[in-house]
C-alpha cells in the first residue's frame, strides 16, 4: 500500500503447509533418525507416539528418502494465488493420497501412504 507522503508498505502472511506437518509427524512416528542440521529441524516434542509400522531393515532408505522429501519441501517455491492448476505447486506431489513425489523411495512412499 502506498499513500501520498508516506513510505510504501506491504503485509503478507506465509502459511505453513500441511505437507511439512505430515513429513515431520511421520519422521517422529516412524522414529526415523536423521542428522539435525541446516534446514533439518530437531525432533518433534510429541508426548505419546503411535506404534512404529515400518520394518527396521528399511531404516537407511527411510532416512535417505525422508531427507530428500524434507529438502524438496523447504526449497520448493512458495505458492502464490491464484494457483496454476496446469502447473501445481511442488508440495502437492508430497501430499495425500498418493505422495507421488516419493516415487524414488518405494518403502517410504508405501509407509507414508499407509499412515
Amino acid at each position: 500500500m502506498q499513500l501520498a507522503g508516506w513510505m510504501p508498505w506491504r503485509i503478507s502472511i506465509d502459511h505453513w503447509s500441511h505437507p511439512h506437518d505430515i513429513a515431520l509427524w511421520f519422521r517422529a512416528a516412524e522414529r526415523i533418525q536423521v542428522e539435525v542440521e541446516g534446514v533439518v529441524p530437531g525432533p518433534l516434542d510429541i508426548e505419546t507416539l503411535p506404534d512404529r509400522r515400518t520394518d527396521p531393515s528399511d531404516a537407511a532408505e527411510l532416512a535417505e528418502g525422508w531427507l530428500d522429501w524434507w529438502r524438496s519441501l523447504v526449497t520448493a517455491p512458495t505458492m502464490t494465488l491464484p494457483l496454476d492448476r496446469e502447473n501445481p505447486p511442488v508440495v502437492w506431489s508430497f501430499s495425500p493420497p498418493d505422495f507421488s513425489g516419493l516415487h524414488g523411495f518405494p518403502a517410504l512412499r508405501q509407509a507414508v501412504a499407509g499412515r
Side-chain angles (χ1 to χ4, degrees):
M1 173 176 234
Q2 187 169 357
L3 299 172
W6 294 86
M7 295 288 296
W9 56 276
R10 168 186 261 171
I11 295 175
S12 65
I13 299 172
D14 187 15
H15 293 279
W16 184 256
S17 74
H18 190 66
H20 292 83
D21 291 339
I22 292 171
L24 290 171
W25 183 87
F26 184 81
R27 179 182 70 166
E30 294 301 329
R31 284 74 164 177
I32 297 173
Q33 300 297 314
V34 294
E35 187 175 341
V36 175
E37 57 146 347
V39 297
V40 180
L44 294 178
D45 186 18
I46 299 175
E47 207 166 296
T48 306
L49 287 171
D51 291 337
R52 183 179 183 170
R53 293 186 183 174
T54 55
D55 186 335
S57 67
D58 291 332
E61 180 187 330
L62 293 175
E64 179 185 1
W66 189 88
L67 280 171
D68 186 70
W69 179 13
W70 184 252
R71 288 181 180 134
S72 295
L73 289 174
V74 298
T75 60
T78 57
M79 291 187 282
T80 58
L81 296 175
L83 294 175
D84 179 357
R85 299 255 178 225
E86 292 184 26
N87 297 301
V90 170
V91 296
W92 285 7
S93 68
F94 296 101
S95 299
D98 62 352
F99 295 91
S100 62
L102 302 176
H103 69 275
F105 304 95
L108 177 65
R109 183 177 182 187
Q110 181 180 0
V112 172
R115 284 274 189 185

